Amino acid sequence: MAPRGFPYDDLQSFLSALEAAGELRRVTVPVDPTLEISEVVTRTVRAGGPALLFERPTRGEMPVAINLFATEKRMAMALGVDSLDEIGDRIGALIKPELPVGWSGIREGIGKALQLKSLPPKKVKTAPSQEVVLKGDEVDLGLLPGLQVWPDDGGVFHNFGLTHTKHPETGKRNLGLYRLQQHSKNTLGMHWQIHKDSTAHHAVAERRGERLPVAVAIGCDPVVCYAASAPLPSDIDEYLFAGFLRGERVEMVDCLTVPLQVPAHAQVVLEGYLDPGERAPEGPFGDHTGFYTPVEPFPVLHIETMTMRKKPVYHSIITSKPPQEDHGLGKATERIFLPLLRMLIPDIVDYDMPAAGVFHNCVIVSIRKRYPKHAQKIMNAIWGAHLMSLTKLIVVVDEDCDVHDYAEVAFRAFGNVDYDRDLLLTQGPVDHLDHASYQQFWGGKAGIDATRKLPSEGYSRGWPEAMAMSSEVVALVDKRWKEYGI
């Protein structure tokens, strides 16, 4: 059952729903966006605390909304469901059973789901996001209470700006979530990584010797915020996906100075361009890996126009080693994309991306094992599956193992493995932010086969039977439990 007020028109509507559910606290005293907000939020996240609205940041001219997605409960509220699995179940019901297995099947599956529930964006002529317009010298990023999260960060960063670009040749839109370092009152560093679609758009523009128009929307409704982070195939429009999740079309408005559209109900919109060939040092930045990423050259966004609501709310997120707010976003992706991963690899029963592995360093997978080296086949299939290819460690267990019970998974991985035979080592692409790989962008990977071993795999000893109490004794003890006085 969708929460009251869903789909939310804007960020304010979502904040009101959170507050009504006891999931939001207002901080009414002055708090510094340089480091202090970060420490407050980090303590709140680790205590399982609420979303926060800092009403009086000491820098910038608008309140700061943060920690909106840290728990599965708030993430489910954001997407209008009681459980994140509901969305995956909806997608699974729409796309099976006749679609082909494989990556083409995933593309067709998402496309079919969106076609059956087609809710494309709706263009409007006027928008709350354009109630205030600043152009040229009026543009001032200092109006925004951007955060410095960690002491050695390279300055102020805007961590939840939804970045819009178009492919210069095909016109295909991309919506992505990238960190933005504030260089000056009207320039930002664009930290989009090598595997991202907007990076490809920029590469084409540079090859053609053209500027790339860019629009950044800050403070969108929660479904659009999630869609920007979702690992969709490049030919699937994020706003069509958002409409599917919302059950209602997303209202979009034309930008004033660039040929792009942005959410009409955003809080702040930054319009500008990237010059071909221009780079500036970006970073360091304390990232979700728990380590500072180094200074690297990245494109520079020149902002020509800044539009906003009359009373905007600034939305941001804290990055640090887990647990942190991105847990809810990562868990939503895990649950929503399970039926799509099963299309690619039908033998998968379930999977878990542990927060401690920052959602791409480790994947735990359960399978219905049917033949020799089945687990190794699954490992290689995952390493060939879109952004799952960045996974560094894959642990494969049998279908009777709960992949979300880390103690049980560890028991299987520690006890069911002969590391001379059941460990697969290989090399492949790793995340741009990975600091452990000896070369940037690629490194070593491991797969652990923690399944029961078959005679046909060379295991000739006869796999032992796991211990379990008889059901009769269990029922007897249940019945007599109070008698024992324990």
Side-chain angles (χ1 to χ4, degrees):
M1 181 177 178
R4 181 177 297 178
F6 186 86
Y8 312 104
D9 291 333
D10 51 22
L11 178 58
Q12 283 88 343
S13 299
F14 182 48
L15 295 178
S16 295
L18 290 176
E19 191 165 33
E23 290 287 333
L24 175 74
R25 295 292 185 276
R26 295 174 180 266
V27 180
T28 59
V29 298
V31 185
D32 193 343
T34 300
L35 303 181
E36 188 179 8
I37 284 181
S38 174
E39 179 65 12
V40 173
V41 172
T42 298
R43 293 189 189 192
T44 303
V45 170
R46 291 175 184 173
L52 300 173
L53 183 65
F54 292 93
E55 295 185 329
R56 298 170 62 192
T58 59
R59 177 166 42 75
E61 297 188 6
M62 58 195 73
V64 178
I66 201 163
N67 197 32
L68 305 187
F69 306 126
T71 66
E72 292 184 43
K73 178 181 179 181
R74 289 204 292 278
M75 196 69 236
M77 285 186 65
L79 300 180
V81 293
D82 293 324
S83 166
L84 295 173
D85 284 304
E86 291 178 30
I87 300 172
D89 292 343
R90 283 169 51 200
I91 293 175
L94 288 170
I95 62 179
K96 62 184 184 184
E98 72 279 4
L99 291 171
V101 171
W103 184 239
S104 63
I106 287 183
R107 290 198 304 269
E108 289 185 39
I110 298 177
K112 180 183 177 185
L114 299 185
Q115 183 180 17
L116 289 173
K117 299 289 185 181
S118 183
L119 292 166
K122 176 183 178 182
K123 182 179 175 180
V124 297
K125 293 183 178 180
T126 60
S129 62
Q130 296 176 345
E131 290 173 340
V132 177
V133 178
L134 305 174
K135 292 187 176 183
D137 292 339
E138 296 177 317
V139 171
D140 184 5
L141 293 172
L143 298 172
L144 308 179
L147 304 183
Q148 181 178 345
V149 175
W150 297 104
D152 291 337
D153 282 355
V156 168
F157 286 82
H158 305 281
N159 295 334
F160 223 110
L162 308 189
T163 300
H164 301 71
T165 60
K166 278 187 179 181
H167 192 288
E169 293 175 345
T170 67
K172 174 69 178 66
R173 171 172 52 206
N174 183 67
L175 172 65
L177 179 59
Y178 317 113
R179 76 179 190 231
L180 306 163
Q181 182 173 359
Q182 188 168 313
H183 290 323
S184 71
K185 69 189 290 286
N186 63 351
T187 58
L188 294 168
M190 298 293 302
H191 188 276
W192 44 37
Q193 300 161 28
I194 190 172
H195 305 105
K196 305 299 185 180
D197 292 330
S198 287
T199 306
H201 292 185
H202 186 220
V204 173
E206 288 195 313
R207 188 182 70 233
R208 293 162 60 100
E210 299 172 354
R211 287 178 166 179
L212 182 71
V214 177
V216 177
I218 298 173
C220 298
D221 81 72
V223 173
V224 169
C225 289
Y226 170 70
S229 75
L232 294 169
S234 60
D235 53 353
I236 300 296
D237 185 86
E238 288 82 5
Y239 282 105
L240 199 61
F241 184 57
F244 169 78
L245 296 176
R246 285 167 52 89
E248 186 175 284
R249 300 166 72 182
V250 178
E251 292 189 346
M252 308 282 287
V253 68
D254 287 338
C255 290
L256 301 181
T257 54
V258 293
L260 297 166
Q261 291 183 342
V262 290
H265 295 275
Q267 306 295 305
V268 178
V269 176
L270 310 175
E271 304 178 9
Y273 61 87
L274 306 177
D275 271 327
E278 184 181 13
R279 301 290 189 277
E282 194 271 356
F285 179 75
D287 222 309
H288 67 282
T289 60
F291 296 87
Y292 288 100
T293 51
V295 175
E296 293 184 90
F298 276 93
V300 177
L301 174 60
H302 296 266
I303 300 165
E304 295 183 304
T305 301
M306 184 175 183
T307 72
M308 65 183 75
R309 289 169 170 249
K310 290 180 179 178
K311 293 183 178 180
V313 175
Y314 179 82
H315 179 206
S316 193
I317 191 171
I318 298 298
T319 53
S320 77
K321 72 176 183 180
Q324 197 47 269
E325 182 183 348
D326 58 359
H327 168 78
L329 295 166
K331 187 58 65 173
T333 290
E334 175 195 291
R335 297 293 89 201
I336 291 171
F337 283 81
L338 174 59
L340 298 168
L341 187 60
R342 284 175 176 158
M343 287 187 64
L344 183 65
I345 314 169
D347 295 326
I348 286 180
V349 175
D350 200 358
Y351 78 126
D352 185 280
M353 300 187 294
V358 295
F359 298 105
H360 53 71
N361 284 340
C362 178
V363 174
I364 303 164
V365 184
S366 59
I367 66 168
R368 296 182 181 91
K369 185 171 179 177
R370 296 185 290 111
Y371 47 79
K373 299 300 180 182
H374 195 168
Q376 286 78 359
K377 175 197 171 185
I378 298 298
M379 298 170 194
N380 286 300
I382 290 173
W383 283 321
H386 194 38
L387 290 181
M388 296 287 285
S389 66
L390 303 180
T391 304
K392 294 204 296 182
L393 174 64
I394 301 172
V395 180
V396 184
V397 295
D398 288 300
E399 63 180 308
D400 63 346
C401 179
D402 180 358
V403 294
H404 310 295
D405 182 345
Y406 297 154
E408 178 64 19
V409 171
F411 176 76
R412 308 279 182 118
F414 298 161
N416 282 6
V417 179
D418 178 341
Y419 283 93
D420 184 45
R421 290 174 174 261
D422 302 331
L423 178 66
L424 176 63
L425 298 177
T426 187
Q427 294 178 333
V430 297
D431 187 74
H432 188 133
L433 305 177
D434 189 280
H435 63 279
S437 60
Y438 282 58
Q439 305 81 18
Q440 193 174 31
F441 307 131
W442 67 276
K445 298 166 179 284
I448 297 174
D449 178 2
T451 63
R452 299 175 181 86
K453 303 309 179 297
L454 305 173
S456 52
E457 292 176 297
Y459 188 86
S460 58
R461 299 172 58 196
W463 196 261
E465 182 179 351
M467 298 176 296
M469 183 53 66
S470 69
S471 58
E472 293 82 5
V473 172
V474 171
L476 172 66
V477 172
D478 285 344
K479 183 178 180 180
R480 298 192 60 193
W481 184 254
K482 292 183 179 179
E483 296 179 36
Y484 304 138
I486 300 174

